[in-house]
Amino acid sequence: MPLPFLKLPGLVQVEVLKQLELRDVFWMSLCCEQMKEVTRSVDLQPKRVHYLVAYNRIQIVLGFLEYNENVHQFGLVRRISYGDTEDLKKMKLGGKTIKTRCIESTESKNFTHYLEYLHSEQSVVINSLQLHINYIFRNEPRVQINVYCTDSLSLSTLIKNAKDSLILQRLFSTATLEYFMKRHPTLESLHIKSDFSNSNLLEDAMLWKLDRLVFRNSEDMTQMLMRKFNGRYMILDNSNYCKEFWHELIRKWMRK
Amino acid sequence: MSVEPEVPIVQVEEVRENPVLYKIISSDNHVFTISEHAVKLSKTLWDLITNLGLTAENALDNPIPVENVNGKNMETIVQFCERHKYDEEEPEYTNYIREFVLPEWDRQLLSIDNEELFQLILATNYLDIQKLMDYCCRVIGDMAKDKTPEELRIIYGIPTDAEDDALERSASDSPGPSG
């Protein structure tokens, strides 16, 4: 006999969800509309939702502290373009009906399953997924996008209202960065952990208007970054700077 | 309804070191004795005892009837409360995942079938025993570990949206009490 979860008193349902791993909470929220409502009642309040975007998949992790690397795995979705898709079943996600299936994950050590969707429905699925997550967490957590490769750029543009971003791909070109920033006009901070193939950033590049900028391996770009950045916080790693750069920066601050 | 002569008094655990004992009668007329420290774990029972003005002198002469809990569940509850009566209070927890280890003794106690577990949770909820509720919820939560939505629906008897809609439709189509 199944344990009739939805017949338990509401407070007990919420207590049970509080005992689960967050990734199990995600699967529970996908069972049906009623379960989505129960998940919302748990009133989990993550400070940040990170969308880790790779070529054909998005991993969702949650951060409950403002600035903390300690994050909790939440969900994993993967695109399928070919192969046997007959076992896909209709489910409601973010108010839309889409076709998905759960497949055992052999690659991820954090997740036992993927939620797979059709390439042809990608835009609707990612939009619905974000709506679903926004609905569950009513505290409106900050959205962060982590991009791992240039191949994942187009997938990343489907995530809306991102405030923070982390770019990990090596040899990210200036043009690619500008494209990324144009598609994410709400960005307030950017953490670039890659080497630029081209440091020829325009004077009016969107990058300079960000509030926070973190640059790894800034090296020879240090002077340009210090001169052009107009935001409030900038962290430069592996930088080559001399006293002159600081003089210039301090003069700029004083003019402000 | 007289219950005293027909049913045995169930001594679930020793209660000797605590001189204050209370008697509880389950819905199916089983009588249990429980120590003061143990009964305090149930907010409902302790409020009742306080409101009734029961004292060390008159407690055993005034059994407390609990209509919503049967003898089987009450036995489990009394065992649990006696076991945990001297536990330190749990610290407050933040709004995300609670991390605690379910002790083996309690896991054994709660190794019961789903129907019994469901009834025990209702009883625990009624008697307002936070720790037992946490442990029961952990047992239920463990069933969800690494399961897909499809498996979860089976384990927890959760209907799909389509099934839910169909049920609602059939309920609204069927004639009401007035025909």
Side-chain angles (χ1 to χ4, degrees), chain A residues 1-9 12 15-16 18-24 27-28 30-35 43-45 64 72 89 92 102 112-113, chain B residues 93 95-98 100 114-115 117-118 121-122 125 133-134 137-138 140-141 143-150 152-159 161 164:
Chain A
M1 175 203 149
L3 194 136
F5 184 89
L6 290 168
K7 288 184 182 159
L8 289 167
V12 178
E15 280 304 314
V16 171
K18 281 184 177 173
Q19 306 276 350
L20 300 185
E21 295 273 344
L22 283 166
R23 55 188 175 212
D24 295 324
W27 295 123
M28 287 287 265
L30 295 176
C31 283
C32 66
E33 285 290 307
Q34 246 183 301
M35 279 310 305
D43 199 20
L44 289 164
Q45 297 193 6
F64 283 85
H72 300 260
K89 287 184 180 154
K92 268 192 188 170
C102 268
T112 52
H113 296 90
Chain B
Y93 59 93
N95 76 2
Y96 62 101
I97 300 313
R98 303 186 63 180
F100 65 81
N114 284 347
E115 169 67 28
L117 185 58
F118 182 75
I121 285 177
L122 296 184
N125 187 50
M133 181 57 80
D134 287 347
C137 290
R138 167 57 60 91
I140 298 179
M143 298 174 189
K145 201 166 173 51
D146 298 334
K147 298 291 188 300
T148 65
E150 214 158 300
L152 290 169
R153 280 194 208 105
I154 295 167
I155 293 166
Y156 293 136
I158 300 170
D161 288 323
D164 224 15

Side-chain angles (χ1 to χ4, degrees), chain B residues 31-92:
Chain B
V31 182
F32 297 84
T33 53
I34 185 167
S35 67
E36 185 172 29
H37 277 104
V39 83
K40 277 181 177 175
L41 293 183
S42 162
K43 196 167 179 306
T44 306
L45 286 177
W46 187 242
D47 283 351
L48 204 59
I49 287 167
T50 314
N51 292 335
L52 289 171
L54 297 183
T55 61
E57 289 74 37
N58 66 7
L60 284 173
D61 301 329
N62 293 282
I64 305 159
V66 181
E67 297 290 336
N68 296 1
V69 182
N70 65 26
K72 192 165 188 184
N73 287 328
M74 189 60 86
E75 184 174 348
T76 306
I77 286 167
V78 172
Q79 275 184 347
F80 180 89
C81 291
E82 291 294 348
R83 174 84 178 185
H84 292 284
K85 61 186 172 185
Y86 296 130
D87 287 1
E88 283 179 21
E89 256 183 50
E90 300 272 324
E92 286 287 306

